[in-house]
Amino acid sequence: MRQPLVAGNWKMNGALESVRELLSGIKAGIGDIKKCEVAVCPPYVFIPLAQAELSGTSIPWGGQNLSAEQSGAFTGEVAGSMLTDFGCTYVIVGHSERRTLYGEDDALVAHKHAVARAAGLKPILCIGETLEEREKGVTEDVVARQVDAVVTASGVESLGDGVIAYEPVWAIGTGRTATPEQAQEVHAFIRKRVAESNADVASKLRILYGGSMKPDNAAELMVKSDIDGGLIGGASLKAADFLGICKAADDSV
Ligand code: PEP
């Protein structure tokens, strides 16, 4: 049985006061969430605040990105070891915004996945097709290529304690969610792809759905057999909405 995970990707949102409020809102409601793991990924500068507020709770925190390098003259970058210094458990790797806006390709994402693991972080590997790719009927080719890049670089065992987030690019921040059937189909395909290399890793791998998940569509997604939680953007910025999604995940097990 896989424990669901709902992780909030705050992206580049928030200010000191709003982040304090959001953290305390999540803390206030977390008692109702019994079975689902709940995590938050704030912007780098708010990670020390997340650490201060969340230490001693059941809520882990993580980064949204990390450098491909360990240390040195890389102005503006943040190393994986710096994230672990501030208590991060998770780090998002290969989010579609990083892939499209910052040119991160499969090889770089696979490298960052390895760097994250070496630093002691659990990577949340984001994969997913664009609308054009879906319409061309190449969704499976795209997600297979994205998963295979990591498996080839680091071995299938590198997915062992990690997480994959299937995030169709056309559903991110657009209000257009994949139907539960569309999402389940791709999740099952991803698990099958990993199982071809290692069935045990595949059966334990948590595959999250991401893309305009909200409290009112979360339950129908979460009940699908290969959907093990969610990576939440917009709806993670309001404690009540985020907790509503966590509750749907909680009720699905
Ligand atoms: C995301 O960016 O990971 C995401 C899922 O965003 P949203 O929920 O806003 O679509």
Side-chain angles (χ1 to χ4, degrees):
M1 170 92 113
R2 297 178 293 268
Q3 183 190 21
L5 167 65
V6 174
N9 171 15
W10 295 358
K11 310 194 185 190
M12 196 176 72
N13 290 297
L16 201 46
E17 253 338 283
S18 66
V19 166
R20 269 192 227 285
E21 263 173 47
L22 181 52
L23 288 167
S24 65
I26 296 169
K27 272 185 357 183
I30 198 69
D32 294 336
I33 311 298
K34 308 286 182 207
K35 292 164 274 181
C36 172
E37 184 182 9
V38 177
V40 294
C41 296
Y44 288 137
V45 292
F46 297 129
I47 286 176
L49 181 56
Q51 181 180 34
E53 293 292 325
L54 301 178
S55 291
T57 74
S58 61
I59 308 169
W61 56 94
Q64 299 173 13
N65 180 31
L66 82 168
S67 175
E69 308 294 339
Q70 311 279 343
S71 67
F74 302 102
T75 301
E77 291 288 274
V78 171
S81 60
M82 297 172 183
L83 297 178
T84 44
D85 270 354
F86 284 86
C88 289
T89 299
Y90 290 103
V91 65
I92 298 170
V93 172
H95 190 278
S96 70
E97 287 151 17
R98 303 267 352 144
R99 291 179 189 260
T100 56
L101 301 174
Y102 300 98
E104 296 196 6
D105 61 11
D106 288 338
L108 179 60
V109 171
H111 180 60
K112 286 191 173 191
H113 190 272
V115 169
R117 293 188 68 252
L121 296 160
K122 292 184 185 178
I124 300 175
L125 171 67
C126 297
I127 60 174
E129 81 288 1
T130 62
L131 185 57
E132 198 189 346
E133 289 164 337
R134 174 159 284 266
E135 284 171 350
K136 270 202 235 149
V138 295
T139 296
E140 292 188 351
D141 298 338
V142 171
V143 298
R145 193 198 71 222
Q146 292 169 328
V147 170
D148 291 355
V150 170
V151 171
T152 304
S154 304
V156 69
E157 293 74 20
S158 70
L159 296 172
D161 57 356
V163 177
I164 288 182
Y166 167 59
E167 302 205 298
V169 179
W170 47 272
I172 296 179
T174 58
R176 187 176 162 188
T177 323
T179 64
E181 292 68 33
Q182 281 173 322
Q184 165 60 26
E185 197 182 356
V186 182
H187 281 232
F189 172 79
I190 294 165
R191 199 177 306 285
K192 187 168 121 281
R193 186 81 181 182
V194 175
E196 282 162 15
S197 301
N198 187 319
D200 187 47
V201 167
S203 72
K204 292 182 184 140
L205 178 66
R206 292 189 288 182
I207 308 177
L208 316 184
Y209 169 78
S212 299
M213 203 192 273
K214 308 272 181 267
D216 60 1
N217 62 22
E220 59 187 19
L221 288 154
M222 298 295 187
V223 293
K224 292 292 183 189
S225 58
D226 287 293
I227 299 182
D228 307 312
L231 181 60
I232 317 300
S236 70
L237 298 170
K238 280 197 188 143
D241 288 355
F242 185 56
L243 289 164
I245 295 170
C246 299
K247 187 77 176 76
D250 217 44
D251 290 345
S252 75
V253 286

